[in-house]
Amino acid sequence: MEKLNYRLETFEGPLDLLLVLIRKNKMSILDIRITELVDQYLEQIGAMRQRDMDVSSDFLEMAARLVYIKTVSLLPKTEEAEQLSRELSGQLLEYEECRRIASLLGKKITFDSFPREQAKVEFDTSYRGNILPEALFDAYRSAVGRGRRLLPPKPEAFSGIVSHGIVSVTSRIIRVLRRLRGTGTARYTDLYSGCRGRSELVATFLAVLELVRGKRIRVDGEDNDVVTLLHRPAAQRKPVGSEQQ
Amino acid sequence: MKPEISKIQGAAEAILFASGEPVSLERLAEVLELDKPTAEKILNHLTDRFNAENAGVQILRLEDGWQMCTRAEYAGQVRQALDMRRNMPLSQAALEVLAVVAYNQPVTKSFVEQVRGVDCSGVLGSLTSKGLVEERGRLDLPGRPLIYGTTPDFLRCLGISSLDDLPPVEHGEEEEEADEPQKQSWPAEDAG
Amino acid sequence: MKPEISKIQGAAEAILFASGEPVSLERLAEVLELDKPTAEKILNHLTDRFNAENAGVQILRLEDGWQMCTRAEYAGQVRQALDMRRNMPLSQAALEVLAVVAYNQPVTKSFVEQVRGVDCSGVLGSLTSKGLVEERGRLDLPGRPLIYGTTPDFLRCLGISSLDDLPPVEHGEEEEEADEPQKQSWPAEDAG
């Protein structure tokens, strides 16, 4: 393949980079040769990274998309590949048009004509219009609706979703260990006796998994599963998993 | 009759001068106590009178209103006299965002980002603070995204009176009637 | 000679227009690249031309220079036109900021911005000058941020007699901060 000589420019985004590559390869946007494009695209991103240039996630996302299109197009049934290529072509055409318009706007836009500041007419500027309380209320909902995406949600916000009380996995870990303390073994199903509700069952199951992972207990057998407490130097290791369900 | 009209024109002139911002036909008609067609005729006449002279001040028609501002050819002297700095030309990114907003308004940020393929928050913010783009409320969709449109200042800086005067979009997906003759002369396109 | 002079006059006109204040002879002469007597002659000529017409805008010769302003006889209409804009319905952005302040007062600017997710300086400023929102001192936190609350005028515009009469924000559905005292939910101080 012809070695392309890039001057490392900054690109406005992945679409910009793709357009440059397409132009350099004398491809048509409507007939993209995806394999060539993927290789050169990745090569360019590699070069950008080497120069410590800022490679935003948008570039990486596009890389993933290109690789996916290429992968799909290698499969015998290429309907999906065609569809994906068409989508990419459409997006590129649209972006190319956007750039054309932007360049027209850029030639025409000036900041050379100045309006005046509003004349200082001597009346007080206080507002005398009416504001409907409902409009204010709607505005509040609207403002908060947006902010909610930016503020971390408060625990109470989940109250509608998690209607059963929160059962912490830690508390179930302690409970399981306590149960095993006497004999050192118990039947697996017995660990779940006394659980009320799904949350407790799930938390207990997670507790068992955590304990197994931490090599504190072992679960053996098939029908009559037995849970065994493994002996470990006491207090050397705290129970794993302090996260909440 | 004649002095009457010149008084109305004088009032219109004073209003446009004092307002600074574009003043809508509706408001002018109300204050001048005229019906809208008559007010429009008088404003058009005033505009012609202003713009015919080799004057320093012009009246622009922007959407449904008028605005008084200086002529671009005197920009240098005005800047010098008022100690204003030259505005930086808009970046390529800003122009692209502006193009997407102008042709598709009102639009959400995510629409703009879809067309450009990159995050546009910063650019939209700076276009908003430059007064070229403004918030237009929210879409009634999950997340209630803000929607954006262009301002009268955008038209003024572009030297056009209406969004209809934007350069026509090329391929047909935008379902636009191309039968209208181009009102503005747009420079020939280039590859950029 | 003639077009040259009309260009200089145009520049002078543009400068006087764009400047809200009187512009001194020194400044005008400097920018127009003229000696002072010539500049004065041109300005006087421009003044005569403006003031001869029954126009809405006039040029005043003041002690310290020239100033462009509206003619006194149109003051009524000018006031009416500007007054109308003053009492136009608030923009969506203004309403939202007002609502956030009203339901959470006293609040800092950065709190409002965190709730809305966008810069609110301009909007808060215009609400303050409209007399709907007022400064309420500063928070005793690093940066000593200003805090804002609503005014009695705000209640009047809403036609209510107390903040308790605001439409209640429901529990659960809306963000809880409307109901709680705000002390604990001040956003962390930011550098901006």
Side-chain angles (χ1 to χ4, degrees):
Chain A
M1 191 193 305
E2 176 195 1
K3 183 77 184 163
L4 288 165
N5 198 7
Y6 304 115
R7 66 199 153 93
L8 272 176
E9 40 200 327
T10 46
F11 298 97
E12 286 299 328
L15 295 174
D16 186 16
L17 171 53
L18 281 178
L19 284 182
V20 169
L21 293 177
I22 284 170
R23 212 173 293 139
K24 283 191 171 148
N25 287 284
K26 301 191 170 60
M27 282 184 211
S28 153
I29 291 180
L30 291 170
D31 187 20
I32 295 170
R33 299 192 295 278
I34 193 75
T35 312
E36 269 171 71
L37 213 51
V38 176
D39 294 343
Q40 293 177 18
Y41 185 91
L42 294 177
E43 193 181 315
Q44 182 67 36
I45 285 192
M48 283 158 73
R49 283 186 148 171
Q50 260 176 13
R51 297 279 189 94
D52 280 336
M53 289 168 80
D54 190 27
V55 180
S56 70
S57 58
D58 304 308
F59 282 96
L60 304 179
E61 196 184 329
M62 177 59 81
R65 183 170 158 196
L66 293 177
V67 169
Y68 181 71
I69 298 178
K70 179 183 166 186
T71 313
V72 173
S73 64
L74 294 176
L75 297 174
K77 214 176 158 196
T78 57
E79 261 171 47
E80 189 187 355
E82 275 169 26
Q83 173 68 19
L84 290 171
S85 294
R86 265 203 306 275
E87 276 169 20
L88 184 61
S89 295
Q91 210 179 343
L92 285 167
L93 281 176
E94 196 176 25
Y95 181 63
E96 197 181 44
E97 178 65 7
C98 164
R99 291 195 60 116
R100 186 184 71 88
I101 298 284
S103 119
L104 290 179
L105 295 185
K107 282 180 196 154
K108 269 223 136 184
I109 248 176
T110 66
F111 300 98
D112 284 349
S113 85
F114 306 101
R116 278 185 96 249
E117 298 273 302
Q118 187 188 322
K120 295 179 189 79
V121 182
E122 57 299 334
F123 44 55
D124 67 325
T125 55
S126 58
Y127 191 73
R128 301 269 176 248
N130 287 320
I131 303 168
L132 288 175
E134 297 77 41
L136 190 78
F137 178 68
D138 287 346
Y140 186 69
R141 290 174 50 123
S142 181
V144 167
R146 173 166 173 85
R148 201 182 288 174
R149 305 203 331 267
L150 302 155
L151 295 169
K154 300 188 174 175
E156 303 92 279
F158 293 105
S159 59
I161 306 168
V162 187
S163 54
H164 319 285
I166 294 171
V167 183
S168 83
V169 176
T170 313
S171 74
R172 305 313 285 188
I173 287 177
I174 293 166
R175 202 184 161 95
V176 169
L177 288 177
R178 204 172 276 158
R179 182 157 216 149
L180 291 170
R181 191 180 292 152
T183 59
T185 60
R187 281 161 50 95
Y188 178 72
T189 45
D190 286 348
L191 296 180
Y192 296 91
S193 64
C195 282
R196 284 158 308 170
R198 194 176 298 166
S199 291
E200 289 194 7
L201 284 171
V202 172
T204 307
F205 177 64
L206 291 175
V208 170
L209 291 185
E210 282 294 346
L211 286 167
V212 170
R213 193 177 68 153
K215 297 200 170 62
R216 300 295 308 276
I217 61 171
R218 196 174 62 221
V219 181
D220 293 314
E222 278 175 23
D223 293 333
N224 238 351
D225 300 337
V226 172
V227 180
T228 315
L229 181 65
L230 297 173
H231 274 286
R232 318 202 76 202
Q236 207 184 29
R237 201 188 147 119
K238 278 192 274 181
V240 262
S242 50
E243 60 264 49
Q244 308 249 302
Q245 180 193 340
Chain B
M1 191 67 189
K2 202 72 187 154
E4 183 65 20
I5 283 185
S6 90
K7 280 220 159 183
I8 292 173
Q9 276 203 1
E13 194 184 318
I15 290 169
L16 291 185
F17 175 85
S19 168
E21 292 174 15
V23 186
S24 70
L25 173 60
E26 195 170 4
R27 183 145 16 113
L28 284 163
E30 193 176 334
V31 176
L32 300 175
E33 296 174 345
L34 298 170
D35 57 75
K36 281 201 210 170
T38 315
E40 182 157 22
K41 210 176 288 172
I42 286 191
L43 262 297
N44 283 337
H45 189 257
L46 182 69
T47 303
D48 289 346
R49 185 164 65 74
F50 256 76
N51 298 0
E53 302 161 22
N54 188 9
V57 179
Q58 61 183 336
I59 295 178
L60 297 179
R61 176 87 205 237
L62 300 172
E63 296 289 4
D64 73 331
W66 287 267
Q67 183 177 31
M68 225 181 244
C69 61
T70 63
R71 248 192 231 294
E73 60 187 293
Y74 301 116
Q77 284 118 317
V78 172
R79 281 205 185 90
Q80 197 190 337
L82 304 188
D83 282 329
M84 287 190 285
R85 262 185 303 159
R86 232 195 128 67
N87 291 62
M88 293 282 287
L90 293 176
S91 67
Q92 173 69 23
L95 287 170
E96 287 180 22
V97 170
L98 210 45
V100 180
V101 174
Y103 282 84
N104 301 282
Q105 55 190 310
V107 289
T108 60
K109 178 168 78 88
S110 65
F111 180 88
V112 180
E113 290 177 341
Q114 199 183 321
V115 173
R116 293 194 61 235
V118 280
D119 180 81
C120 298
S121 322
V123 186
L124 262 176
S126 90
L127 286 172
T128 308
S129 68
K130 282 190 167 73
L132 296 171
V133 159
E134 65 189 356
E135 290 175 21
R136 292 266 181 84
R138 286 163 206 279
L139 265 199
D140 204 5
L141 282 177
R144 302 188 54 71
L146 275 170
I147 47 180
Y148 296 89
T150 55
T151 62
D153 267 358
F154 166 73
L155 299 178
R156 184 171 54 76
C157 291
L158 216 51
I160 60 178
S161 295
S162 141
L163 291 173
D164 298 338
D165 299 335
L166 285 171
V169 171
E170 269 186 357
H171 26 79
E173 290 174 354
E174 316 285 318
E175 69 237 37
E176 256 167 63
E177 293 105 279
D179 45 308
E180 234 177 291
Q182 241 175 285
K183 285 173 206 148
Q184 292 284 322
S185 60
W186 291 92
E189 62 184 283
D190 63 0
Chain C
M1 190 65 187
K2 202 72 188 155
E4 183 63 23
I5 285 185
S6 89
K7 280 218 160 183
I8 293 173
Q9 277 203 0
E13 192 183 321
I15 291 168
L16 292 184
F17 173 86
S19 162
E21 296 159 11
V23 185
S24 69
L25 176 60
E26 284 80 16
R27 187 29 71 102
L28 284 164
E30 185 191 334
V31 174
L32 301 175
E33 295 173 347
L34 299 169
D35 57 73
K36 281 200 211 169
T38 316
E40 180 153 24
K41 208 176 290 174
I42 286 191
L43 261 296
N44 283 335
H45 189 257
L46 182 69
T47 305
D48 289 345
R49 183 164 66 75
F50 255 77
N51 299 0
E53 300 161 25
N54 189 9
V57 179
Q58 61 182 339
I59 296 177
L60 292 181
R61 175 77 206 247
L62 305 166
E63 256 178 82
D64 48 349
W66 287 267
Q67 183 173 22
M68 208 181 262
C69 58
T70 55
R71 242 195 235 293
E73 61 184 293
Y74 300 117
Q77 279 133 314
V78 167
R79 185 184 302 240
Q80 201 189 334
L82 298 190
D83 219 32
M84 255 187 210
R85 183 179 53 200
R86 183 160 64 88
N87 290 331
M88 276 195 318
L90 296 176
S91 69
Q92 176 68 20
L95 265 181
E96 287 187 12
V97 171
L98 192 57
V100 175
V101 173
Y103 279 99
N104 301 284
Q105 55 192 311
V107 293
T108 59
K109 176 167 79 90
S110 64
F111 178 83
V112 180
E113 290 177 342
Q114 198 174 337
V115 171
R116 291 194 63 234
V118 282
D119 179 80
C120 298
S121 325
V123 185
L124 261 175
S126 93
L127 287 172
T128 309
S129 73
K130 282 181 160 65
L132 296 171
V133 159
E134 64 189 358
E135 291 173 13
R136 292 263 184 86
R138 290 172 188 278
L139 261 202
D140 201 7
L141 280 177
R144 301 189 52 71
L146 275 171
I147 48 179
Y148 297 87
T150 55
T151 61
D153 267 0
F154 164 78
L155 297 178
R156 209 177 31 67
C157 288
L158 255 87
I160 58 178
S161 49
S162 142
L163 288 173
D164 299 336
D165 298 337
L166 285 174
V169 175
E170 302 115 61
H171 254 301
E173 187 201 343
E174 287 306 317
E175 207 76 27
E176 283 71 19
E177 59 244 48
D179 305 294
E180 296 166 13
Q182 277 309 295
K183 306 295 175 308
Q184 83 288 16
S185 42
W186 293 109
E189 280 323 296
D190 57 359

